[in-house]
Amino acid sequence: MDDSNNSTEHGLLPPGFRSSSPSQKRKSPLRSRRSIFHSTASPHHAPNVSPPSVESHNYEPDESEVWRAANHRLNNLNRGQWWTTGKRRSIRRWCLTIIVGVLQGLIAYFCNMLSRKLSNTKWTYVYAALQDEVSGDAFVGKAYFIFLLYQTFYVSVASLMVWLEPVSAGSGIPEVKCFLNGIALPRIVRIKTLFCKVFGVTFSVAAGLPVGKEGPMVHSGAVVASAISQGKTQVCGVDTSFTKIDAFRNDKEKRDFVACGAAAGVCSAFSAPIGGVLFALEEGASYWSTKLTWRVFFCSMMTLLTLYSVKNLDTWWGQASTEKLFSFGEFASLSDGEVNFSIWELFLFSVIGCLGGLIGACFNATNEQITIWRMKHINHSKTRRLLEVLSVSFLVTTVSFLMPLIWGRCTELPVDVEDWSDQEKELVDALVPFKCQAGKEYNEVASLIFTDADDAIKQLFHFREAGEDDASTFSSAALFLFFMPYISLATLVYGIAVPSGLFVPSLLSGAAFGRLCGHLLHKLDHTQGTFADSGSYALMGAAAVLGGMARMTISLTVILLEATGDMQYVLPLMLTLMCARFTGNVFNEGLYDIHIHLKRIPFLEQDAPEICEHHEIVANQVMSSDVKCIRPVERVGVIHDLLSSYGHSNFPIIDEHGTLYGTASRNMLCTLLKHRAFSKSSDNNMNPLGPRRVSPLLTFSEIESVYPRYPTIADCRLAPEDRSCFVDLRPYANTAAYTINETASCQRTYRLFRTMGLRFLSVCNHENKIVGVITRKDLLPEALLESLIRVRRPGRELGDEEMENSGEGEGNGGIALGERVTRL
């Protein structure tokens, strides 16, 4: 963007400042190689997806004079008091954490109850129609049409929720990760999103799609925590704010509460409170502290307590039953005091982990290509997204109904079950006859499809082996016939316009794969008992496929252990998940990371990109030299024109010597203009940069009271005579802004930016004069590569371009340090 046309009128360029226009910029001899480098730097980017216009959270307060005055006034009020503001704030924080845990537990219970009720209604009519077809009381195909009718209705309701709120599609875990990484994605934590997410995933699961509720529960917990912590929302245009929790209306407090909500979501889905804490730590938050660990743990505990209380109301607070919570069933040891596997079988479990990592890598790669095609041809139209959902639902319904027909074999129910446990007897009762004789036979494939995924997982984990003839078990052919279509459909379904998760589909397909491996090993051994039971191999397979898809290790290990309740599988699960992660990482990233990159969200990984170390990049090369600066006392017209012309969220303030004085945020500047916090000069000869100060016209609480809906420049109406007034920014300037020297390494710059959760980092030279700025997008791998190509040109030394643009002087308004506009 060229500023030369309006620099004279608005004073955007100071006298003597040298600025190069686009026509004067040197052309790089490496320009022809940029497209090649760009394509290799970001292999996940969809071709027609532009980077979203998102902003970063601001976790550090602006340490201005008004902020210090507010803290000083608060400290004076608390002086000599026992019941201080800090104690009241802490009590309220813990109370709100309790409310978040309780509400998320109730939401999860409602979602589970409603989805199971809808599923039972569907299966009741489908089973009745199947029996009518077997007895000849109904025409052939009646059960299929009833099945298709229910499936279509349920999936239509789920897609309608996404139609109302598009961000409610998918699992929501990538969005929560981005939010906790410091990215302010729009509409992610709104009440409308919560409503659409919960009802949408309820009908998605009831529709029989290969989806789960676990990912959406994480998202719902994040929304609940955000809404409760802020105490302010707009539903149907009504502001329901209350003023007792104003201290929590900032990005830092919201981030911590969202971390608590994400952990509560995992706990509500798997009844795994410790796993929820580790999930928030491993996969969610980019910032962590000991205090936050306690709060997250407490929130997960309250969620589990709520689930215990609600699901055991029939005992009237007597002895609780853990069977009513989510679990994988009881894994009993085959021999007292001994584990179910041999030490040498750990190698086999590691092999299964490697195979699961390979399956997960194939799953991720296939889904990535499908998602790219979907972004190019489907996602830009709501109608197309709805039609895609209906088409995919029809395909899933047809395949699900055809698979038991293709199997076409009836297996006799076990008769001698006197020595079986109650759990095994219940699993036998849950077997589906399909078109077999009810009460005597069952269809192996239908028993895995025409039932809830939770029950199917338990059958694969605990259904007893009974000899070489496959009696009373799932045969190898049935497991293979179920595994291949199911995981293929799950690959296709993830990404359509319905709320959906992938934990349970991955667990179910992985359990089928693992049990298949165990079954084949028993075949080789002629069932002599050399190998562990097939249920143990099913558990390892479930962990391997899920770990290969999501690439989680610590949190997933604990989640699976809490769901099994058997510590004998600690080491096998650890080995399996590590092997799955290492194998999958050879080929691609985790699915959630892939979808973040496909959407081109500026997500900052834990470690700095490798290009920083390989090419010894410094901050001078990374920064953007397009800095729009203002003076400590500035004219209203200059500020208004600057805010109208540029989308920057922060503007450095420099004094008459060009030294960095502080920074001014867009929100603060717009608030000052809207409240007309400016004054006219009584003396036309008055030096606006002199020592004379104007008392603050707005307090810190008045500026921050409208968080997060600050006024925009469109809300600021100015009269012609207002443009000549002056705004004294010195009381409002952030005089403690984070800065870094231009010679600092890229690794140090990256660590400072990410660990502190910065939104804006000023780059200064040895004289503390600002020479550029660094934002989140400047630290992405592709941006670093472009910067490296741009500055390393033949006959051009490092920093020459920035030195050309480092002129200083005093003008009538804003000061520009470059031409390239970058949204901060």
Side-chain angles (χ1 to χ4, degrees), residues 780-811:
L780 299 179
E782 55 270 24
L784 295 175
L785 182 58
E786 291 289 338
S787 300
L788 185 65
I789 297 174
R790 183 177 65 254
V791 299
R792 294 193 173 181
R793 303 173 183 171
R796 188 175 182 85
E797 297 296 332
L798 177 64
D800 285 348
E801 180 180 355
E802 283 72 20
M803 292 181 63
E804 288 183 4
N805 291 332
S806 62
E808 57 186 71
E810 179 182 341

PDB file of all heavy atoms in Angstrom, residues 780-811:
ATOM      1  N   LEU A 780       5.372 -17.686  11.672  1.00  0.00           N
ATOM      2  CA  LEU A 780       4.992 -18.946  11.060  1.00  0.00           C
ATOM      3  C   LEU A 780       6.087 -19.426  10.112  1.00  0.00           C
ATOM      4  O   LEU A 780       6.850 -18.622   9.569  1.00  0.00           O
ATOM      5  CB  LEU A 780       3.673 -18.792  10.312  1.00  0.00           C
ATOM      6  CG  LEU A 780       2.455 -18.394  11.163  1.00  0.00           C
ATOM      7  CD1 LEU A 780       1.230 -18.261  10.288  1.00  0.00           C
ATOM      8  CD2 LEU A 780       2.218 -19.403  12.270  1.00  0.00           C
ATOM      9  N   PRO A 781       6.210 -20.726   9.884  1.00  0.00           N
ATOM     10  CA  PRO A 781       7.297 -21.244   9.030  1.00  0.00           C
ATOM     11  C   PRO A 781       7.317 -20.637   7.643  1.00  0.00           C
ATOM     12  O   PRO A 781       8.381 -20.275   7.131  1.00  0.00           O
ATOM     13  CB  PRO A 781       7.018 -22.754   8.989  1.00  0.00           C
ATOM     14  CG  PRO A 781       6.283 -23.035  10.248  1.00  0.00           C
ATOM     15  CD  PRO A 781       5.440 -21.822  10.508  1.00  0.00           C
ATOM     16  N   GLU A 782       6.147 -20.490   7.013  1.00  0.00           N
ATOM     17  CA  GLU A 782       6.141 -19.933   5.656  1.00  0.00           C
ATOM     18  C   GLU A 782       6.534 -18.463   5.646  1.00  0.00           C
ATOM     19  O   GLU A 782       7.207 -17.993   4.721  1.00  0.00           O
ATOM     20  CB  GLU A 782       4.767 -20.116   5.005  1.00  0.00           C
ATOM     21  CG  GLU A 782       3.594 -19.551   5.783  1.00  0.00           C
ATOM     22  CD  GLU A 782       2.990 -20.529   6.742  1.00  0.00           C
ATOM     23  OE1 GLU A 782       3.691 -21.472   7.156  1.00  0.00           O
ATOM     24  OE2 GLU A 782       1.803 -20.373   7.075  1.00  0.00           O
ATOM     25  N   ALA A 783       6.129 -17.716   6.691  1.00  0.00           N
ATOM     26  CA  ALA A 783       6.530 -16.319   6.776  1.00  0.00           C
ATOM     27  C   ALA A 783       8.029 -16.186   7.010  1.00  0.00           C
ATOM     28  O   ALA A 783       8.687 -15.294   6.458  1.00  0.00           O
ATOM     29  CB  ALA A 783       5.750 -15.615   7.886  1.00  0.00           C
ATOM     30  N   LEU A 784       8.600 -17.082   7.808  1.00  0.00           N
ATOM     31  CA  LEU A 784      10.046 -17.060   8.034  1.00  0.00           C
ATOM     32  C   LEU A 784      10.806 -17.370   6.752  1.00  0.00           C
ATOM     33  O   LEU A 784      11.850 -16.769   6.475  1.00  0.00           O
ATOM     34  CB  LEU A 784      10.411 -18.070   9.126  1.00  0.00           C
ATOM     35  CG  LEU A 784       9.873 -17.783  10.534  1.00  0.00           C
ATOM     36  CD1 LEU A 784      10.217 -18.919  11.471  1.00  0.00           C
ATOM     37  CD2 LEU A 784      10.432 -16.475  11.064  1.00  0.00           C
ATOM     38  N   LEU A 785      10.291 -18.285   5.970  1.00  0.00           N
ATOM     39  CA  LEU A 785      10.943 -18.613   4.705  1.00  0.00           C
ATOM     40  C   LEU A 785      10.872 -17.445   3.738  1.00  0.00           C
ATOM     41  O   LEU A 785      11.860 -17.114   3.060  1.00  0.00           O
ATOM     42  CB  LEU A 785      10.292 -19.858   4.099  1.00  0.00           C
ATOM     43  CG  LEU A 785      10.891 -20.373   2.792  1.00  0.00           C
ATOM     44  CD1 LEU A 785      12.363 -20.692   2.967  1.00  0.00           C
ATOM     45  CD2 LEU A 785      10.144 -21.608   2.309  1.00  0.00           C
ATOM     46  N   GLU A 786       9.726 -16.791   3.664  1.00  0.00           N
ATOM     47  CA  GLU A 786       9.605 -15.629   2.802  1.00  0.00           C
ATOM     48  C   GLU A 786      10.551 -14.508   3.258  1.00  0.00           C
ATOM     49  O   GLU A 786      11.162 -13.821   2.442  1.00  0.00           O
ATOM     50  CB  GLU A 786       8.155 -15.123   2.817  1.00  0.00           C
ATOM     51  CG  GLU A 786       7.162 -16.055   2.133  1.00  0.00           C
ATOM     52  CD  GLU A 786       7.322 -16.069   0.630  1.00  0.00           C
ATOM     53  OE1 GLU A 786       7.886 -15.089   0.092  1.00  0.00           O
ATOM     54  OE2 GLU A 786       6.905 -17.048  -0.004  1.00  0.00           O
ATOM     55  N   SER A 787      10.670 -14.319   4.570  1.00  0.00           N
ATOM     56  CA  SER A 787      11.578 -13.297   5.075  1.00  0.00           C
ATOM     57  C   SER A 787      13.024 -13.634   4.749  1.00  0.00           C
ATOM     58  O   SER A 787      13.817 -12.754   4.402  1.00  0.00           O
ATOM     59  CB  SER A 787      11.414 -13.164   6.598  1.00  0.00           C
ATOM     60  OG  SER A 787      10.098 -12.799   6.938  1.00  0.00           O
ATOM     61  N   LEU A 788      13.359 -14.898   4.830  1.00  0.00           N
ATOM     62  CA  LEU A 788      14.723 -15.310   4.516  1.00  0.00           C
ATOM     63  C   LEU A 788      15.040 -15.064   3.048  1.00  0.00           C
ATOM     64  O   LEU A 788      16.135 -14.597   2.697  1.00  0.00           O
ATOM     65  CB  LEU A 788      14.895 -16.789   4.858  1.00  0.00           C
ATOM     66  CG  LEU A 788      16.296 -17.365   4.704  1.00  0.00           C
ATOM     67  CD1 LEU A 788      17.245 -16.715   5.694  1.00  0.00           C
ATOM     68  CD2 LEU A 788      16.272 -18.876   4.905  1.00  0.00           C
ATOM     69  N   ILE A 789      14.100 -15.344   2.191  1.00  0.00           N
ATOM     70  CA  ILE A 789      14.312 -15.104   0.752  1.00  0.00           C
ATOM     71  C   ILE A 789      14.393 -13.618   0.465  1.00  0.00           C
ATOM     72  O   ILE A 789      15.199 -13.166  -0.356  1.00  0.00           O
ATOM     73  CB  ILE A 789      13.168 -15.757  -0.057  1.00  0.00           C
ATOM     74  CG1 ILE A 789      13.192 -17.272   0.133  1.00  0.00           C
ATOM     75  CG2 ILE A 789      13.279 -15.406  -1.526  1.00  0.00           C
ATOM     76  CD1 ILE A 789      12.014 -17.982  -0.508  1.00  0.00           C
ATOM     77  N   ARG A 790      13.588 -12.822   1.180  1.00  0.00           N
ATOM     78  CA  ARG A 790      13.516 -11.402   0.900  1.00  0.00           C
ATOM     79  C   ARG A 790      14.806 -10.671   1.275  1.00  0.00           C
ATOM     80  O   ARG A 790      15.254  -9.771   0.569  1.00  0.00           O
ATOM     81  CB  ARG A 790      12.335 -10.782   1.659  1.00  0.00           C
ATOM     82  CG  ARG A 790      12.129  -9.298   1.367  1.00  0.00           C
ATOM     83  CD  ARG A 790      10.906  -8.749   2.071  1.00  0.00           C
ATOM     84  NE  ARG A 790      11.034  -8.768   3.517  1.00  0.00           N
ATOM     85  CZ  ARG A 790      10.398  -9.623   4.307  1.00  0.00           C
ATOM     86  NH1 ARG A 790       9.591 -10.526   3.793  1.00  0.00           N
ATOM     87  NH2 ARG A 790      10.562  -9.599   5.625  1.00  0.00           N
ATOM     88  N   VAL A 791      15.402 -11.034   2.395  1.00  0.00           N
ATOM     89  CA  VAL A 791      16.548 -10.267   2.875  1.00  0.00           C
ATOM     90  C   VAL A 791      17.872 -10.774   2.342  1.00  0.00           C
ATOM     91  O   VAL A 791      18.850 -10.032   2.290  1.00  0.00           O
ATOM     92  CB  VAL A 791      16.584 -10.271   4.421  1.00  0.00           C
ATOM     93  CG1 VAL A 791      15.353  -9.627   4.966  1.00  0.00           C
ATOM     94  CG2 VAL A 791      16.767 -11.673   4.972  1.00  0.00           C
ATOM     95  N   ARG A 792      17.934 -12.029   1.944  1.00  0.00           N
ATOM     96  CA  ARG A 792      19.199 -12.559   1.450  1.00  0.00           C
ATOM     97  C   ARG A 792      19.254 -12.438  -0.064  1.00  0.00           C
ATOM     98  O   ARG A 792      18.993 -13.375  -0.803  1.00  0.00           O
ATOM     99  CB  ARG A 792      19.372 -14.014   1.889  1.00  0.00           C
ATOM    100  CG  ARG A 792      19.511 -14.125   3.401  1.00  0.00           C
ATOM    101  CD  ARG A 792      19.991 -15.471   3.853  1.00  0.00           C
ATOM    102  NE  ARG A 792      20.257 -15.469   5.275  1.00  0.00           N
ATOM    103  CZ  ARG A 792      20.711 -16.532   5.948  1.00  0.00           C
ATOM    104  NH1 ARG A 792      20.955 -17.652   5.320  1.00  0.00           N
ATOM    105  NH2 ARG A 792      20.933 -16.442   7.241  1.00  0.00           N
ATOM    106  N   ARG A 793      19.604 -11.256  -0.489  1.00  0.00           N
ATOM    107  CA  ARG A 793      19.704 -10.948  -1.908  1.00  0.00           C
ATOM    108  C   ARG A 793      21.153 -10.624  -2.253  1.00  0.00           C
ATOM    109  O   ARG A 793      21.878 -10.083  -1.424  1.00  0.00           O
ATOM    110  CB  ARG A 793      18.823  -9.750  -2.260  1.00  0.00           C
ATOM    111  CG  ARG A 793      17.367  -9.949  -1.894  1.00  0.00           C
ATOM    112  CD  ARG A 793      16.598  -8.668  -2.113  1.00  0.00           C
ATOM    113  NE  ARG A 793      15.207  -8.822  -1.707  1.00  0.00           N
ATOM    114  CZ  ARG A 793      14.354  -7.819  -1.629  1.00  0.00           C
ATOM    115  NH1 ARG A 793      14.749  -6.592  -1.892  1.00  0.00           N
ATOM    116  NH2 ARG A 793      13.096  -8.033  -1.278  1.00  0.00           N
ATOM    117  N   PRO A 794      21.581 -10.924  -3.468  1.00  0.00           N
ATOM    118  CA  PRO A 794      22.954 -10.606  -3.852  1.00  0.00           C
ATOM    119  C   PRO A 794      23.202  -9.104  -3.776  1.00  0.00           C
ATOM    120  O   PRO A 794      22.402  -8.292  -4.228  1.00  0.00           O
ATOM    121  CB  PRO A 794      23.047 -11.110  -5.293  1.00  0.00           C
ATOM    122  CG  PRO A 794      21.997 -12.164  -5.389  1.00  0.00           C
ATOM    123  CD  PRO A 794      20.879 -11.697  -4.503  1.00  0.00           C
ATOM    124  N   GLY A 795      24.332  -8.715  -3.143  1.00  0.00           N
ATOM    125  CA  GLY A 795      24.713  -7.307  -3.067  1.00  0.00           C
ATOM    126  C   GLY A 795      23.920  -6.520  -2.073  1.00  0.00           C
ATOM    127  O   GLY A 795      23.907  -5.304  -2.097  1.00  0.00           O
ATOM    128  N   ARG A 796      23.218  -7.202  -1.138  1.00  0.00           N
ATOM    129  CA  ARG A 796      22.387  -6.490  -0.161  1.00  0.00           C
ATOM    130  C   ARG A 796      22.635  -7.067   1.215  1.00  0.00           C
ATOM    131  O   ARG A 796      22.459  -8.261   1.430  1.00  0.00           O
ATOM    132  CB  ARG A 796      20.903  -6.634  -0.520  1.00  0.00           C
ATOM    133  CG  ARG A 796      19.985  -5.760   0.343  1.00  0.00           C
ATOM    134  CD  ARG A 796      18.577  -5.882  -0.184  1.00  0.00           C
ATOM    135  NE  ARG A 796      17.664  -5.053   0.559  1.00  0.00           N
ATOM    136  CZ  ARG A 796      17.446  -3.771   0.309  1.00  0.00           C
ATOM    137  NH1 ARG A 796      18.131  -3.171  -0.629  1.00  0.00           N
ATOM    138  NH2 ARG A 796      16.577  -3.075   1.010  1.00  0.00           N
ATOM    139  N   GLU A 797      23.107  -6.267   2.132  1.00  0.00           N
ATOM    140  CA  GLU A 797      23.444  -6.736   3.458  1.00  0.00           C
ATOM    141  C   GLU A 797      22.207  -6.808   4.340  1.00  0.00           C
ATOM    142  O   GLU A 797      21.209  -6.134   4.098  1.00  0.00           O
ATOM    143  CB  GLU A 797      24.478  -5.796   4.110  1.00  0.00           C
ATOM    144  CG  GLU A 797      25.803  -5.745   3.373  1.00  0.00           C
ATOM    145  CD  GLU A 797      26.526  -7.079   3.361  1.00  0.00           C
ATOM    146  OE1 GLU A 797      26.308  -7.858   4.316  1.00  0.00           O
ATOM    147  OE2 GLU A 797      27.286  -7.345   2.419  1.00  0.00           O
ATOM    148  N   LEU A 798      22.318  -7.595   5.359  1.00  0.00           N
ATOM    149  CA  LEU A 798      21.213  -7.765   6.302  1.00  0.00           C
ATOM    150  C   LEU A 798      20.894  -6.458   7.007  1.00  0.00           C
ATOM    151  O   LEU A 798      21.755  -5.790   7.539  1.00  0.00           O
ATOM    152  CB  LEU A 798      21.587  -8.825   7.351  1.00  0.00           C
ATOM    153  CG  LEU A 798      20.580  -9.085   8.454  1.00  0.00           C
ATOM    154  CD1 LEU A 798      19.314  -9.657   7.866  1.00  0.00           C
ATOM    155  CD2 LEU A 798      21.177 -10.034   9.489  1.00  0.00           C
ATOM    156  N   GLY A 799      19.637  -6.062   6.948  1.00  0.00           N
ATOM    157  CA  GLY A 799      19.190  -4.867   7.647  1.00  0.00           C
ATOM    158  C   GLY A 799      19.259  -3.603   6.831  1.00  0.00           C
ATOM    159  O   GLY A 799      18.897  -2.541   7.327  1.00  0.00           O
ATOM    160  N   ASP A 800      19.734  -3.676   5.541  1.00  0.00           N
ATOM    161  CA  ASP A 800      19.824  -2.458   4.746  1.00  0.00           C
ATOM    162  C   ASP A 800      18.448  -1.843   4.546  1.00  0.00           C
ATOM    163  O   ASP A 800      18.281  -0.633   4.595  1.00  0.00           O
ATOM    164  CB  ASP A 800      20.466  -2.769   3.383  1.00  0.00           C
ATOM    165  CG  ASP A 800      21.980  -2.984   3.528  1.00  0.00           C
ATOM    166  OD1 ASP A 800      22.497  -2.655   4.612  1.00  0.00           O
ATOM    167  OD2 ASP A 800      22.615  -3.465   2.588  1.00  0.00           O
ATOM    168  N   GLU A 801      17.460  -2.711   4.265  1.00  0.00           N
ATOM    169  CA  GLU A 801      16.119  -2.177   3.994  1.00  0.00           C
ATOM    170  C   GLU A 801      15.551  -1.476   5.222  1.00  0.00           C
ATOM    171  O   GLU A 801      14.942  -0.417   5.118  1.00  0.00           O
ATOM    172  CB  GLU A 801      15.191  -3.334   3.580  1.00  0.00           C
ATOM    173  CG  GLU A 801      13.782  -2.886   3.268  1.00  0.00           C
ATOM    174  CD  GLU A 801      12.913  -4.057   2.860  1.00  0.00           C
ATOM    175  OE1 GLU A 801      13.440  -5.167   2.729  1.00  0.00           O
ATOM    176  OE2 GLU A 801      11.710  -3.816   2.676  1.00  0.00           O
ATOM    177  N   GLU A 802      15.796  -2.064   6.397  1.00  0.00           N
ATOM    178  CA  GLU A 802      15.267  -1.438   7.601  1.00  0.00           C
ATOM    179  C   GLU A 802      15.974  -0.125   7.915  1.00  0.00           C
ATOM    180  O   GLU A 802      15.389   0.822   8.427  1.00  0.00           O
ATOM    181  CB  GLU A 802      15.400  -2.410   8.785  1.00  0.00           C
ATOM    182  CG  GLU A 802      14.349  -3.518   8.770  1.00  0.00           C
ATOM    183  CD  GLU A 802      14.618  -4.540   7.682  1.00  0.00           C
ATOM    184  OE1 GLU A 802      15.762  -4.623   7.198  1.00  0.00           O
ATOM    185  OE2 GLU A 802      13.670  -5.227   7.288  1.00  0.00           O
ATOM    186  N   MET A 803      17.305  -0.048   7.611  1.00  0.00           N
ATOM    187  CA  MET A 803      18.038   1.179   7.881  1.00  0.00           C
ATOM    188  C   MET A 803      17.582   2.298   6.965  1.00  0.00           C
ATOM    189  O   MET A 803      17.574   3.465   7.337  1.00  0.00           O
ATOM    190  CB  MET A 803      19.537   0.925   7.715  1.00  0.00           C
ATOM    191  CG  MET A 803      20.127  -0.001   8.785  1.00  0.00           C
ATOM    192  SD  MET A 803      21.895  -0.250   8.583  1.00  0.00           S
ATOM    193  CE  MET A 803      22.498   1.409   8.830  1.00  0.00           C
ATOM    194  N   GLU A 804      17.179   1.934   5.734  1.00  0.00           N
ATOM    195  CA  GLU A 804      16.653   2.951   4.833  1.00  0.00           C
ATOM    196  C   GLU A 804      15.363   3.542   5.383  1.00  0.00           C
ATOM    197  O   GLU A 804      15.051   4.711   5.167  1.00  0.00           O
ATOM    198  CB  GLU A 804      16.393   2.341   3.454  1.00  0.00           C
ATOM    199  CG  GLU A 804      17.686   2.022   2.675  1.00  0.00           C
ATOM    200  CD  GLU A 804      17.369   1.482   1.296  1.00  0.00           C
ATOM    201  OE1 GLU A 804      16.162   1.439   0.961  1.00  0.00           O
ATOM    202  OE2 GLU A 804      18.293   1.127   0.568  1.00  0.00           O
ATOM    203  N   ASN A 805      14.588   2.717   6.083  1.00  0.00           N
ATOM    204  CA  ASN A 805      13.284   3.159   6.561  1.00  0.00           C
ATOM    205  C   ASN A 805      13.314   3.623   8.007  1.00  0.00           C
ATOM    206  O   ASN A 805      12.280   3.734   8.645  1.00  0.00           O
ATOM    207  CB  ASN A 805      12.265   2.009   6.424  1.00  0.00           C
ATOM    208  CG  ASN A 805      11.957   1.720   4.979  1.00  0.00           C
ATOM    209  OD1 ASN A 805      12.041   2.623   4.144  1.00  0.00           O
ATOM    210  ND2 ASN A 805      11.620   0.473   4.675  1.00  0.00           N
ATOM    211  N   SER A 806      14.496   3.846   8.564  1.00  0.00           N
ATOM    212  CA  SER A 806      14.580   4.219   9.977  1.00  0.00           C
ATOM    213  C   SER A 806      14.759   5.715  10.167  1.00  0.00           C
ATOM    214  O   SER A 806      15.233   6.149  11.196  1.00  0.00           O
ATOM    215  CB  SER A 806      15.760   3.478  10.634  1.00  0.00           C
ATOM    216  OG  SER A 806      16.983   3.867  10.016  1.00  0.00           O
ATOM    217  N   GLY A 807      14.409   6.516   9.162  1.00  0.00           N
ATOM    218  CA  GLY A 807      14.504   7.968   9.318  1.00  0.00           C
ATOM    219  C   GLY A 807      13.593   8.459  10.408  1.00  0.00           C
ATOM    220  O   GLY A 807      12.599   7.854  10.750  1.00  0.00           O
ATOM    221  N   GLU A 808      13.941   9.588  10.995  1.00  0.00           N
ATOM    222  CA  GLU A 808      13.165  10.097  12.112  1.00  0.00           C
ATOM    223  C   GLU A 808      12.943  11.582  11.905  1.00  0.00           C
ATOM    224  O   GLU A 808      13.646  12.247  11.166  1.00  0.00           O
ATOM    225  CB  GLU A 808      13.912   9.858  13.421  1.00  0.00           C
ATOM    226  CG  GLU A 808      15.292  10.478  13.436  1.00  0.00           C
ATOM    227  CD  GLU A 808      16.035  10.093  14.688  1.00  0.00           C
ATOM    228  OE1 GLU A 808      16.423   8.930  14.812  1.00  0.00           O
ATOM    229  OE2 GLU A 808      16.214  10.983  15.524  1.00  0.00           O
ATOM    230  N   GLY A 809      11.991  12.123  12.566  1.00  0.00           N
ATOM    231  CA  GLY A 809      11.705  13.542  12.477  1.00  0.00           C
ATOM    232  C   GLY A 809      10.377  13.834  13.096  1.00  0.00           C
ATOM    233  O   GLY A 809       9.651  12.946  13.494  1.00  0.00           O
ATOM    234  N   GLU A 810      10.038  15.049  13.138  1.00  0.00           N
ATOM    235  CA  GLU A 810       8.789  15.467  13.765  1.00  0.00           C
ATOM    236  C   GLU A 810       7.841  15.939  12.694  1.00  0.00           C
ATOM    237  O   GLU A 810       8.183  16.768  11.855  1.00  0.00           O
ATOM    238  CB  GLU A 810       9.045  16.587  14.770  1.00  0.00           C
ATOM    239  CG  GLU A 810       7.774  17.076  15.439  1.00  0.00           C
ATOM    240  CD  GLU A 810       8.067  18.208  16.373  1.00  0.00           C
ATOM    241  OE1 GLU A 810       9.231  18.372  16.757  1.00  0.00           O
ATOM    242  OE2 GLU A 810       7.125  18.935  16.694  1.00  0.00           O
ATOM    243  N   GLY A 811       6.638  15.363  12.682  1.00  0.00           N
ATOM    244  CA  GLY A 811       5.659  15.777  11.695  1.00  0.00           C
ATOM    245  C   GLY A 811       4.400  16.224  12.371  1.00  0.00           C
ATOM    246  O   GLY A 811       4.359  16.484  13.566  1.00  0.00           O
TER     247      GLY A 811
END
